[in-house]
Amino acid sequence: MTTVEERPHTGFGRTLRKEDVRLVRGKGNYVDDVRLPGMLHGALLRSPYAHAKINSIDTSAAEAHPKVLAVITGETLKGLGLAWMPTLSYDVQAVLATDKVRYQGQEVAFVIAEDHYSARDAVELIEVDYEPLPVVADAKKAMAADAPVIRDDKEGQTDNHIFDWESGDQAETDAVFANAEVVVAEDILYPRVHPAPLETCGSVADMDPVTGKLTLYTTSQAPHAHRTVYALVAGLPEHKIRVISPDIGGGFGNKVGIYPGYVMSIVGSIVTGKPVKWVEDRAEHLMSTAFARDYHMRGEIAATKDGKILGLRVKVLADHGAFNATAQPTKFPAGFFHVFTGSYDLQAAHCTVTGVYTNKAPGGVAYACSFRITEAVYLVERMVDVLAYELKADPAELRMKNLIQPEQFPYTTKTGWEYDSGDYPKALQLAMDMAGYDELRKEQAEKRERGELMGIGVAFFTEAVGAGPRKHMDILGLGMADGAELRIHPTGKAVLRISVKTQGQGHETTFAQIVGNELGLPTADIEVVHGDTDQTPFGLGTYGSRSTPVSGAATALVARKIRDKAKIVASAMLEVSPDDLEWEGNRWQVKGDPEQGKTIQEIALAAHSSLELPEGVEGHLDATTVYNPPNLTYPFGAYICVVDVDKGTGGVKVRRFIAVDDCGVRINPMIVEGQVHGGLADGVGMALMQVIAFDEEGNHLGASFMDYLLPTSLECPSWELGETTTPSPHHPIGAKGVGESATVGSPCAVVNAVLDAIKPYGVRHADMPLTPAAVWGALNGRPIRT
Ligand code: CDP
């Protein structure tokens, strides 16, 4: 029997991942695997205080350590103009603290030593005289008039307020609410969570003092953007910087920003003239790299008595930590939160978002979602359930009644998004059929009679992925287009170079499949090069499920350019006019005479040969392109979660999870399903187990995987997946992104299920994470706030 791997595979469909051949055999090459001759090791001293003035730093004992080469403080950096760096949100962030520390775990000094352990030991020898200051770790308290001002480094900053932003029509929304039969409000927290990739962040900087070229091996989801930022900040010429992102052990948005540790490895290499490696440990990672969410939301929903939803009104207080380092397109300080109208046809909607500084780590990354969409989907899907609770309506029926209908696409929302395509009722109906929804409700009713707690949670989501159209979106002024380059070598083997960077999503396979589909080449014959700025065209990187919508489109289009070029070469080979040729899957053939044709492999050889080509046609078979997406793509899905709750302990068992996803045309259904599996597990983690919590003094309470719990197979059921396919009308192959759909859609399905289970106890809402303690508290009238 031939295995899947042995069959030559061309185009779309299930095929094993090309990258797994090396990854599962331990042949991956991660940043910590990089070892350069003469390489030194760096370690960071981090603040034990969340807010404290730095009176002095004594580095003499550390410098005296026999294996230490240098100790760098903020004062050293000040002299170089590098003590502060810009963030992705046009704020500034301390590389090493000079005046004061503003969160626990903030970077204070950097030690460079001959080996990792000596660097760590010497960090302990640094004496810092801190003067503790009052701490504000709570977003609401940070807005109080007498709150300590965290960002007193910023001229004119007299409070902790960062920005106010709004979307939608306030007057129109207020009018809808004023006339509505039913209005329901709820306070909803999306707590601070952490992407927690398996590999922490790190870098190896190698500044060649002779050529002046900097090579940086780094955990970056966006190598090209990082290179440009380093050039702008450090004044290094961009063409003298090479950023290499080797294999990455998960990113989930956590590796989009630039961290002080990366910058310090570069400074360290410049100072010592040797390569310097910095790799953080798990506690450092959880404490100081970018968090996600921390959105304090008040939602209001207006409806008729019979359940027609009319409007949504939302007020958000967004905790951004000590520096506003949130990753999102410039125009949108709250990311894509204004997609909060979800999948429903509303008359009006309005939101305001206020950003606030607190003594917590900066970040606000789009953890496996497109810029705050997870928060938006959670808000609307909880509000619909809150409405169902008040109306005593079935949550699935209520959704069905209000979903945008297929004939309404393209659909423009009240906050200005143009959803490209969808058949929402079909997806929800399929999920209900797969779940056996009516039977489940019967079972639940019987169990309630017996006093048993079973819950059925429904969620419907629309994502907006593939950032983005350049007229609306940029990051630090860089437009969000992606390049692709494709070469077919004389023997018919191809090399595709792309600007996005896989962190485990399988681009080396799926992007080869896109080329294979366009040109009829076997997937195995196509090498995909990525993650090295010297080897690939410019582009803004992988996050927000943008790889397939943007770079995948670039790949299809560059392959089509090759196909067009190949047609002219084939016409010369066959001595016919190009107009007499037609494309047949993997070759150009003469119309009406299929005996006469040339495959791409044959054409590639001819294009590199002495064959005389028509006037003006260059030889070889290669092409480049840059793709500017005309719109985002809008994947969607219907999720149903079934849980059992133990009354005695508050423990939740996720018994079943049905996920129907529509991401348009699927390139590799196996990879898509893998992406969905991971996202669903993520959702179980967030809903039931995870929060990055702080005490009143700003101490981080979860800097290890013993406190910050990751979901395992024990917490997850065997996922039941379904699909519908609504191609994106503007994407060259009709694909939409999928990498983050399940992380976006699943937390609310799980939470809705748990709250449905405990509905007989009169609980309308409880915040995540719904730990056994929180559920038990809710059952016993003692709500536990995170
Ligand atoms: O940007 P990121 O790679 O995280 O997200 P994505 O574009 O949604 O892709 C995740 C993985 O799923 C990639 O390997 C895609 O090519 C694959 N995919 C697919 O096979 N079919 C789709 N319609 C969407 C994604």
mmCIF file with all atom_site columns, all heavy atoms in Angstrom, residues 505-507 510 542 545-549 663 665-668 671-672 675 735-739, ligand 1:
data_model
loop_
_atom_site.group_PDB
_atom_site.id
_atom_site.type_symbol
_atom_site.label_atom_id
_atom_site.label_alt_id
_atom_site.label_comp_id
_atom_site.label_asym_id
_atom_site.label_entity_id
_atom_site.label_seq_id
_atom_site.pdbx_PDB_ins_code
_atom_site.Cartn_x
_atom_site.Cartn_y
_atom_site.Cartn_z
_atom_site.occupancy
_atom_site.B_iso_or_equiv
_atom_site.pdbx_formal_charge
_atom_site.auth_seq_id
_atom_site.auth_comp_id
_atom_site.auth_asym_id
_atom_site.auth_atom_id
_atom_site.pdbx_PDB_model_num
ATOM   1   N N   . GLN A 1 505 ? 2.331   26.689 11.235 1.00 0.00 ? 505 GLN A N   1
ATOM   2   C CA  . GLN A 1 505 ? 1.063   26.560 10.500 1.00 0.00 ? 505 GLN A CA  1
ATOM   3   C C   . GLN A 1 505 ? 1.173   25.755 9.214  1.00 0.00 ? 505 GLN A C   1
ATOM   4   O O   . GLN A 1 505 ? 0.162   25.522 8.556  1.00 0.00 ? 505 GLN A O   1
ATOM   5   C CB  . GLN A 1 505 ? 0.513   27.950 10.132 1.00 0.00 ? 505 GLN A CB  1
ATOM   6   C CG  . GLN A 1 505 ? 0.194   28.832 11.303 1.00 0.00 ? 505 GLN A CG  1
ATOM   7   C CD  . GLN A 1 505 ? 1.349   29.771 11.606 1.00 0.00 ? 505 GLN A CD  1
ATOM   8   O OE1 . GLN A 1 505 ? 2.502   29.380 11.533 1.00 0.00 ? 505 GLN A OE1 1
ATOM   9   N NE2 . GLN A 1 505 ? 1.061   30.995 11.966 1.00 0.00 ? 505 GLN A NE2 1
ATOM   10  N N   . GLY A 1 506 ? 2.394   25.400 8.807  1.00 0.00 ? 506 GLY A N   1
ATOM   11  C CA  . GLY A 1 506 ? 2.523   24.535 7.643  1.00 0.00 ? 506 GLY A CA  1
ATOM   12  C C   . GLY A 1 506 ? 2.620   25.246 6.304  1.00 0.00 ? 506 GLY A C   1
ATOM   13  O O   . GLY A 1 506 ? 2.284   24.685 5.261  1.00 0.00 ? 506 GLY A O   1
ATOM   14  N N   . HIS A 1 507 ? 3.151   26.475 6.299  1.00 0.00 ? 507 HIS A N   1
ATOM   15  C CA  . HIS A 1 507 ? 3.247   27.221 5.029  1.00 0.00 ? 507 HIS A CA  1
ATOM   16  C C   . HIS A 1 507 ? 4.096   26.516 3.985  1.00 0.00 ? 507 HIS A C   1
ATOM   17  O O   . HIS A 1 507 ? 3.856   26.650 2.786  1.00 0.00 ? 507 HIS A O   1
ATOM   18  C CB  . HIS A 1 507 ? 3.844   28.609 5.258  1.00 0.00 ? 507 HIS A CB  1
ATOM   19  C CG  . HIS A 1 507 ? 2.989   29.492 6.114  1.00 0.00 ? 507 HIS A CG  1
ATOM   20  N ND1 . HIS A 1 507 ? 3.428   30.700 6.598  1.00 0.00 ? 507 HIS A ND1 1
ATOM   21  C CD2 . HIS A 1 507 ? 1.728   29.357 6.571  1.00 0.00 ? 507 HIS A CD2 1
ATOM   22  C CE1 . HIS A 1 507 ? 2.474   31.264 7.321  1.00 0.00 ? 507 HIS A CE1 1
ATOM   23  N NE2 . HIS A 1 507 ? 1.434   30.459 7.325  1.00 0.00 ? 507 HIS A NE2 1
ATOM   24  N N   . THR A 1 510 ? 1.437   24.239 2.383  1.00 0.00 ? 510 THR A N   1
ATOM   25  C CA  . THR A 1 510 ? 0.250   24.806 1.709  1.00 0.00 ? 510 THR A CA  1
ATOM   26  C C   . THR A 1 510 ? 0.633   25.790 0.596  1.00 0.00 ? 510 THR A C   1
ATOM   27  O O   . THR A 1 510 ? -0.044  25.860 -0.428 1.00 0.00 ? 510 THR A O   1
ATOM   28  C CB  . THR A 1 510 ? -0.686  25.493 2.713  1.00 0.00 ? 510 THR A CB  1
ATOM   29  O OG1 . THR A 1 510 ? 0.067   26.339 3.570  1.00 0.00 ? 510 THR A OG1 1
ATOM   30  C CG2 . THR A 1 510 ? -1.426  24.471 3.547  1.00 0.00 ? 510 THR A CG2 1
ATOM   31  N N   . THR A 1 542 ? 3.465   37.290 9.541  1.00 0.00 ? 542 THR A N   1
ATOM   32  C CA  . THR A 1 542 ? 2.365   36.364 9.820  1.00 0.00 ? 542 THR A CA  1
ATOM   33  C C   . THR A 1 542 ? 1.739   36.639 11.175 1.00 0.00 ? 542 THR A C   1
ATOM   34  O O   . THR A 1 542 ? 2.374   36.498 12.209 1.00 0.00 ? 542 THR A O   1
ATOM   35  C CB  . THR A 1 542 ? 2.911   34.923 9.800  1.00 0.00 ? 542 THR A CB  1
ATOM   36  O OG1 . THR A 1 542 ? 3.275   34.608 8.464  1.00 0.00 ? 542 THR A OG1 1
ATOM   37  C CG2 . THR A 1 542 ? 1.864   33.923 10.264 1.00 0.00 ? 542 THR A CG2 1
ATOM   38  N N   . SER A 1 545 ? -4.091  35.761 11.034 1.00 0.00 ? 545 SER A N   1
ATOM   39  C CA  . SER A 1 545 ? -4.483  34.848 9.933  1.00 0.00 ? 545 SER A CA  1
ATOM   40  C C   . SER A 1 545 ? -4.342  35.503 8.574  1.00 0.00 ? 545 SER A C   1
ATOM   41  O O   . SER A 1 545 ? -5.164  35.318 7.693  1.00 0.00 ? 545 SER A O   1
ATOM   42  C CB  . SER A 1 545 ? -5.932  34.381 10.105 1.00 0.00 ? 545 SER A CB  1
ATOM   43  O OG  . SER A 1 545 ? -6.077  33.596 11.238 1.00 0.00 ? 545 SER A OG  1
ATOM   44  N N   . ARG A 1 546 ? -3.259  36.297 8.410  1.00 0.00 ? 546 ARG A N   1
ATOM   45  C CA  . ARG A 1 546 ? -3.156  37.035 7.150  1.00 0.00 ? 546 ARG A CA  1
ATOM   46  C C   . ARG A 1 546 ? -2.354  36.298 6.077  1.00 0.00 ? 546 ARG A C   1
ATOM   47  O O   . ARG A 1 546 ? -2.304  36.724 4.918  1.00 0.00 ? 546 ARG A O   1
ATOM   48  C CB  . ARG A 1 546 ? -2.598  38.438 7.386  1.00 0.00 ? 546 ARG A CB  1
ATOM   49  C CG  . ARG A 1 546 ? -1.149  38.515 7.849  1.00 0.00 ? 546 ARG A CG  1
ATOM   50  C CD  . ARG A 1 546 ? -0.738  39.953 8.161  1.00 0.00 ? 546 ARG A CD  1
ATOM   51  N NE  . ARG A 1 546 ? -0.731  40.834 7.003  1.00 0.00 ? 546 ARG A NE  1
ATOM   52  C CZ  . ARG A 1 546 ? 0.257   40.900 6.113  1.00 0.00 ? 546 ARG A CZ  1
ATOM   53  N NH1 . ARG A 1 546 ? 1.315   40.120 6.233  1.00 0.00 ? 546 ARG A NH1 1
ATOM   54  N NH2 . ARG A 1 546 ? 0.192   41.729 5.092  1.00 0.00 ? 546 ARG A NH2 1
ATOM   55  N N   . SER A 1 547 ? -1.708  35.184 6.435  1.00 0.00 ? 547 SER A N   1
ATOM   56  C CA  . SER A 1 547 ? -0.798  34.564 5.463  1.00 0.00 ? 547 SER A CA  1
ATOM   57  C C   . SER A 1 547 ? -1.518  34.102 4.205  1.00 0.00 ? 547 SER A C   1
ATOM   58  O O   . SER A 1 547 ? -1.111  34.445 3.087  1.00 0.00 ? 547 SER A O   1
ATOM   59  C CB  . SER A 1 547 ? -0.074  33.383 6.106  1.00 0.00 ? 547 SER A CB  1
ATOM   60  O OG  . SER A 1 547 ? 0.648   33.823 7.217  1.00 0.00 ? 547 SER A OG  1
ATOM   61  N N   . THR A 1 548 ? -2.566  33.330 4.371  1.00 0.00 ? 548 THR A N   1
ATOM   62  C CA  . THR A 1 548 ? -3.255  32.818 3.189  1.00 0.00 ? 548 THR A CA  1
ATOM   63  C C   . THR A 1 548 ? -4.005  33.937 2.451  1.00 0.00 ? 548 THR A C   1
ATOM   64  O O   . THR A 1 548 ? -3.894  34.052 1.230  1.00 0.00 ? 548 THR A O   1
ATOM   65  C CB  . THR A 1 548 ? -4.204  31.671 3.579  1.00 0.00 ? 548 THR A CB  1
ATOM   66  O OG1 . THR A 1 548 ? -3.436  30.715 4.317  1.00 0.00 ? 548 THR A OG1 1
ATOM   67  C CG2 . THR A 1 548 ? -4.814  30.999 2.366  1.00 0.00 ? 548 THR A CG2 1
ATOM   68  N N   . PRO A 1 549 ? -4.755  34.785 3.177  1.00 0.00 ? 549 PRO A N   1
ATOM   69  C CA  . PRO A 1 549 ? -5.457  35.849 2.458  1.00 0.00 ? 549 PRO A CA  1
ATOM   70  C C   . PRO A 1 549 ? -4.532  36.795 1.688  1.00 0.00 ? 549 PRO A C   1
ATOM   71  O O   . PRO A 1 549 ? -4.886  37.266 0.613  1.00 0.00 ? 549 PRO A O   1
ATOM   72  C CB  . PRO A 1 549 ? -6.188  36.612 3.575  1.00 0.00 ? 549 PRO A CB  1
ATOM   73  C CG  . PRO A 1 549 ? -6.341  35.636 4.678  1.00 0.00 ? 549 PRO A CG  1
ATOM   74  C CD  . PRO A 1 549 ? -5.150  34.730 4.596  1.00 0.00 ? 549 PRO A CD  1
ATOM   75  N N   . CYS A 1 663 ? -13.917 28.582 5.848  1.00 0.00 ? 663 CYS A N   1
ATOM   76  C CA  . CYS A 1 663 ? -12.780 29.463 5.524  1.00 0.00 ? 663 CYS A CA  1
ATOM   77  C C   . CYS A 1 663 ? -12.607 29.501 4.011  1.00 0.00 ? 663 CYS A C   1
ATOM   78  O O   . CYS A 1 663 ? -11.498 29.575 3.505  1.00 0.00 ? 663 CYS A O   1
ATOM   79  C CB  . CYS A 1 663 ? -11.509 28.994 6.225  1.00 0.00 ? 663 CYS A CB  1
ATOM   80  S SG  . CYS A 1 663 ? -11.022 27.310 5.852  1.00 0.00 ? 663 CYS A SG  1
ATOM   81  N N   . VAL A 1 665 ? -12.339 28.271 0.249  1.00 0.00 ? 665 VAL A N   1
ATOM   82  C CA  . VAL A 1 665 ? -11.695 27.085 -0.335 1.00 0.00 ? 665 VAL A CA  1
ATOM   83  C C   . VAL A 1 665 ? -10.561 26.638 0.586  1.00 0.00 ? 665 VAL A C   1
ATOM   84  O O   . VAL A 1 665 ? -9.760  27.459 1.035  1.00 0.00 ? 665 VAL A O   1
ATOM   85  C CB  . VAL A 1 665 ? -11.154 27.429 -1.740 1.00 0.00 ? 665 VAL A CB  1
ATOM   86  C CG1 . VAL A 1 665 ? -10.322 26.285 -2.303 1.00 0.00 ? 665 VAL A CG1 1
ATOM   87  C CG2 . VAL A 1 665 ? -12.310 27.790 -2.667 1.00 0.00 ? 665 VAL A CG2 1
ATOM   88  N N   . ARG A 1 666 ? -10.520 25.335 0.893  1.00 0.00 ? 666 ARG A N   1
ATOM   89  C CA  . ARG A 1 666 ? -9.454  24.810 1.758  1.00 0.00 ? 666 ARG A CA  1
ATOM   90  C C   . ARG A 1 666 ? -8.297  24.302 0.909  1.00 0.00 ? 666 ARG A C   1
ATOM   91  O O   . ARG A 1 666 ? -8.509  23.440 0.046  1.00 0.00 ? 666 ARG A O   1
ATOM   92  C CB  . ARG A 1 666 ? -9.989  23.688 2.646  1.00 0.00 ? 666 ARG A CB  1
ATOM   93  C CG  . ARG A 1 666 ? -11.018 24.203 3.624  1.00 0.00 ? 666 ARG A CG  1
ATOM   94  C CD  . ARG A 1 666 ? -11.578 23.120 4.520  1.00 0.00 ? 666 ARG A CD  1
ATOM   95  N NE  . ARG A 1 666 ? -12.488 23.760 5.468  1.00 0.00 ? 666 ARG A NE  1
ATOM   96  C CZ  . ARG A 1 666 ? -12.741 23.327 6.685  1.00 0.00 ? 666 ARG A CZ  1
ATOM   97  N NH1 . ARG A 1 666 ? -12.193 22.215 7.109  1.00 0.00 ? 666 ARG A NH1 1
ATOM   98  N NH2 . ARG A 1 666 ? -13.553 23.978 7.480  1.00 0.00 ? 666 ARG A NH2 1
ATOM   99  N N   . ILE A 1 667 ? -7.116  24.784 1.203  1.00 0.00 ? 667 ILE A N   1
ATOM   100 C CA  . ILE A 1 667 ? -5.950  24.321 0.441  1.00 0.00 ? 667 ILE A CA  1
ATOM   101 C C   . ILE A 1 667 ? -5.589  22.916 0.912  1.00 0.00 ? 667 ILE A C   1
ATOM   102 O O   . ILE A 1 667 ? -5.456  21.998 0.124  1.00 0.00 ? 667 ILE A O   1
ATOM   103 C CB  . ILE A 1 667 ? -4.753  25.276 0.652  1.00 0.00 ? 667 ILE A CB  1
ATOM   104 C CG1 . ILE A 1 667 ? -5.134  26.686 0.205  1.00 0.00 ? 667 ILE A CG1 1
ATOM   105 C CG2 . ILE A 1 667 ? -3.517  24.782 -0.095 1.00 0.00 ? 667 ILE A CG2 1
ATOM   106 C CD1 . ILE A 1 667 ? -4.299  27.763 0.830  1.00 0.00 ? 667 ILE A CD1 1
ATOM   107 N N   . ASN A 1 668 ? -5.435  22.771 2.211  1.00 0.00 ? 668 ASN A N   1
ATOM   108 C CA  . ASN A 1 668 ? -5.101  21.469 2.786  1.00 0.00 ? 668 ASN A CA  1
ATOM   109 C C   . ASN A 1 668 ? -6.037  21.205 3.967  1.00 0.00 ? 668 ASN A C   1
ATOM   110 O O   . ASN A 1 668 ? -5.793  21.692 5.080  1.00 0.00 ? 668 ASN A O   1
ATOM   111 C CB  . ASN A 1 668 ? -3.636  21.461 3.239  1.00 0.00 ? 668 ASN A CB  1
ATOM   112 C CG  . ASN A 1 668 ? -3.190  20.078 3.685  1.00 0.00 ? 668 ASN A CG  1
ATOM   113 O OD1 . ASN A 1 668 ? -3.982  19.303 4.240  1.00 0.00 ? 668 ASN A OD1 1
ATOM   114 N ND2 . ASN A 1 668 ? -1.936  19.751 3.444  1.00 0.00 ? 668 ASN A ND2 1
ATOM   115 N N   . ILE A 1 671 ? -4.487  20.312 7.337  1.00 0.00 ? 671 ILE A N   1
ATOM   116 C CA  . ILE A 1 671 ? -3.852  21.422 8.067  1.00 0.00 ? 671 ILE A CA  1
ATOM   117 C C   . ILE A 1 671 ? -4.918  22.330 8.661  1.00 0.00 ? 671 ILE A C   1
ATOM   118 O O   . ILE A 1 671 ? -4.818  22.770 9.802  1.00 0.00 ? 671 ILE A O   1
ATOM   119 C CB  . ILE A 1 671 ? -2.867  22.175 7.145  1.00 0.00 ? 671 ILE A CB  1
ATOM   120 C CG1 . ILE A 1 671 ? -1.634  21.299 6.935  1.00 0.00 ? 671 ILE A CG1 1
ATOM   121 C CG2 . ILE A 1 671 ? -2.505  23.546 7.723  1.00 0.00 ? 671 ILE A CG2 1
ATOM   122 C CD1 . ILE A 1 671 ? -0.522  21.904 6.110  1.00 0.00 ? 671 ILE A CD1 1
ATOM   123 N N   . VAL A 1 672 ? -5.974  22.586 7.891  1.00 0.00 ? 672 VAL A N   1
ATOM   124 C CA  . VAL A 1 672 ? -7.073  23.419 8.414  1.00 0.00 ? 672 VAL A CA  1
ATOM   125 C C   . VAL A 1 672 ? -7.629  22.790 9.690  1.00 0.00 ? 672 VAL A C   1
ATOM   126 O O   . VAL A 1 672 ? -7.828  23.463 10.709 1.00 0.00 ? 672 VAL A O   1
ATOM   127 C CB  . VAL A 1 672 ? -8.179  23.595 7.352  1.00 0.00 ? 672 VAL A CB  1
ATOM   128 C CG1 . VAL A 1 672 ? -9.430  24.206 7.964  1.00 0.00 ? 672 VAL A CG1 1
ATOM   129 C CG2 . VAL A 1 672 ? -7.677  24.464 6.197  1.00 0.00 ? 672 VAL A CG2 1
ATOM   130 N N   . GLN A 1 675 ? -5.369  23.328 12.549 1.00 0.00 ? 675 GLN A N   1
ATOM   131 C CA  . GLN A 1 675 ? -5.472  24.696 13.064 1.00 0.00 ? 675 GLN A CA  1
ATOM   132 C C   . GLN A 1 675 ? -6.700  24.842 13.952 1.00 0.00 ? 675 GLN A C   1
ATOM   133 O O   . GLN A 1 675 ? -6.664  25.470 15.008 1.00 0.00 ? 675 GLN A O   1
ATOM   134 C CB  . GLN A 1 675 ? -5.580  25.695 11.894 1.00 0.00 ? 675 GLN A CB  1
ATOM   135 C CG  . GLN A 1 675 ? -4.375  25.736 10.983 1.00 0.00 ? 675 GLN A CG  1
ATOM   136 C CD  . GLN A 1 675 ? -3.205  26.456 11.629 1.00 0.00 ? 675 GLN A CD  1
ATOM   137 O OE1 . GLN A 1 675 ? -3.269  27.623 11.947 1.00 0.00 ? 675 GLN A OE1 1
ATOM   138 N NE2 . GLN A 1 675 ? -2.124  25.736 11.847 1.00 0.00 ? 675 GLN A NE2 1
ATOM   139 N N   . ALA A 1 735 ? -9.837  31.548 -1.053 1.00 0.00 ? 735 ALA A N   1
ATOM   140 C CA  . ALA A 1 735 ? -9.547  31.119 0.324  1.00 0.00 ? 735 ALA A CA  1
ATOM   141 C C   . ALA A 1 735 ? -9.713  32.281 1.294  1.00 0.00 ? 735 ALA A C   1
ATOM   142 O O   . ALA A 1 735 ? -9.476  33.434 0.960  1.00 0.00 ? 735 ALA A O   1
ATOM   143 C CB  . ALA A 1 735 ? -8.126  30.575 0.407  1.00 0.00 ? 735 ALA A CB  1
ATOM   144 N N   . LYS A 1 736 ? -10.122 31.955 2.510  1.00 0.00 ? 736 LYS A N   1
ATOM   145 C CA  . LYS A 1 736 ? -10.115 32.905 3.617  1.00 0.00 ? 736 LYS A CA  1
ATOM   146 C C   . LYS A 1 736 ? -9.149  32.344 4.658  1.00 0.00 ? 736 LYS A C   1
ATOM   147 O O   . LYS A 1 736 ? -8.828  31.163 4.622  1.00 0.00 ? 736 LYS A O   1
ATOM   148 C CB  . LYS A 1 736 ? -11.507 33.032 4.227  1.00 0.00 ? 736 LYS A CB  1
ATOM   149 C CG  . LYS A 1 736 ? -12.589 33.443 3.228  1.00 0.00 ? 736 LYS A CG  1
ATOM   150 C CD  . LYS A 1 736 ? -13.950 33.543 3.896  1.00 0.00 ? 736 LYS A CD  1
ATOM   151 C CE  . LYS A 1 736 ? -15.010 34.021 2.913  1.00 0.00 ? 736 LYS A CE  1
ATOM   152 N NZ  . LYS A 1 736 ? -16.301 34.300 3.569  1.00 0.00 ? 736 LYS A NZ  1
ATOM   153 N N   . GLY A 1 737 ? -8.704  33.168 5.600  1.00 0.00 ? 737 GLY A N   1
ATOM   154 C CA  . GLY A 1 737 ? -7.801  32.662 6.647  1.00 0.00 ? 737 GLY A CA  1
ATOM   155 C C   . GLY A 1 737 ? -8.545  31.760 7.616  1.00 0.00 ? 737 GLY A C   1
ATOM   156 O O   . GLY A 1 737 ? -9.773  31.808 7.714  1.00 0.00 ? 737 GLY A O   1
ATOM   157 N N   . VAL A 1 738 ? -7.791  30.936 8.344  1.00 0.00 ? 738 VAL A N   1
ATOM   158 C CA  . VAL A 1 738 ? -8.444  30.037 9.312  1.00 0.00 ? 738 VAL A CA  1
ATOM   159 C C   . VAL A 1 738 ? -7.660  29.877 10.609 1.00 0.00 ? 738 VAL A C   1
ATOM   160 O O   . VAL A 1 738 ? -8.195  29.421 11.602 1.00 0.00 ? 738 VAL A O   1
ATOM   161 C CB  . VAL A 1 738 ? -8.705  28.651 8.691  1.00 0.00 ? 738 VAL A CB  1
ATOM   162 C CG1 . VAL A 1 738 ? -7.418  27.813 8.652  1.00 0.00 ? 738 VAL A CG1 1
ATOM   163 C CG2 . VAL A 1 738 ? -9.787  27.907 9.418  1.00 0.00 ? 738 VAL A CG2 1
ATOM   164 N N   . GLY A 1 739 ? -6.383  30.307 10.580 1.00 0.00 ? 739 GLY A N   1
ATOM   165 C CA  . GLY A 1 739 ? -5.485  29.987 11.695 1.00 0.00 ? 739 GLY A CA  1
ATOM   166 C C   . GLY A 1 739 ? -6.050  30.346 13.053 1.00 0.00 ? 739 GLY A C   1
ATOM   167 O O   . GLY A 1 739 ? -5.697  29.739 14.059 1.00 0.00 ? 739 GLY A O   1
HETATM 168 O O1  . CDP B 2 .   ? -1.418  33.596 8.939  1.00 0.00 ? 1   CDP B O1  1
HETATM 169 P P1  . CDP B 2 .   ? -1.570  32.187 9.407  1.00 0.00 ? 1   CDP B P1  1
HETATM 170 O O2  . CDP B 2 .   ? -0.697  31.224 8.686  1.00 0.00 ? 1   CDP B O2  1
HETATM 171 O O3  . CDP B 2 .   ? -1.501  32.053 10.888 1.00 0.00 ? 1   CDP B O3  1
HETATM 172 O O4  . CDP B 2 .   ? -3.099  31.756 9.118  1.00 0.00 ? 1   CDP B O4  1
HETATM 173 P P2  . CDP B 2 .   ? -3.813  31.177 7.818  1.00 0.00 ? 1   CDP B P2  1
HETATM 174 O O5  . CDP B 2 .   ? -3.521  31.991 6.624  1.00 0.00 ? 1   CDP B O5  1
HETATM 175 O O6  . CDP B 2 .   ? -5.228  31.058 8.190  1.00 0.00 ? 1   CDP B O6  1
HETATM 176 O O7  . CDP B 2 .   ? -3.201  29.744 7.563  1.00 0.00 ? 1   CDP B O7  1
HETATM 177 C C1  . CDP B 2 .   ? -3.019  28.724 8.507  1.00 0.00 ? 1   CDP B C1  1
HETATM 178 C C2  . CDP B 2 .   ? -2.672  27.453 7.732  1.00 0.00 ? 1   CDP B C2  1
HETATM 179 O O8  . CDP B 2 .   ? -3.879  26.895 7.176  1.00 0.00 ? 1   CDP B O8  1
HETATM 180 C C3  . CDP B 2 .   ? -1.738  27.694 6.549  1.00 0.00 ? 1   CDP B C3  1
HETATM 181 O O9  . CDP B 2 .   ? -0.895  26.612 6.308  1.00 0.00 ? 1   CDP B O9  1
HETATM 182 C C4  . CDP B 2 .   ? -2.731  27.870 5.441  1.00 0.00 ? 1   CDP B C4  1
HETATM 183 O O10 . CDP B 2 .   ? -2.207  27.817 4.165  1.00 0.00 ? 1   CDP B O10 1
HETATM 184 C C5  . CDP B 2 .   ? -3.788  26.815 5.757  1.00 0.00 ? 1   CDP B C5  1
HETATM 185 N N1  . CDP B 2 .   ? -5.071  27.174 5.149  1.00 0.00 ? 1   CDP B N1  1
HETATM 186 C C6  . CDP B 2 .   ? -5.673  26.332 4.210  1.00 0.00 ? 1   CDP B C6  1
HETATM 187 O O11 . CDP B 2 .   ? -5.141  25.259 3.924  1.00 0.00 ? 1   CDP B O11 1
HETATM 188 N N2  . CDP B 2 .   ? -6.856  26.713 3.613  1.00 0.00 ? 1   CDP B N2  1
HETATM 189 C C7  . CDP B 2 .   ? -7.472  27.875 3.944  1.00 0.00 ? 1   CDP B C7  1
HETATM 190 N N3  . CDP B 2 .   ? -8.611  28.249 3.355  1.00 0.00 ? 1   CDP B N3  1
HETATM 191 C C8  . CDP B 2 .   ? -6.893  28.723 4.912  1.00 0.00 ? 1   CDP B C8  1
HETATM 192 C C9  . CDP B 2 .   ? -5.671  28.347 5.494  1.00 0.00 ? 1   CDP B C9  1
#
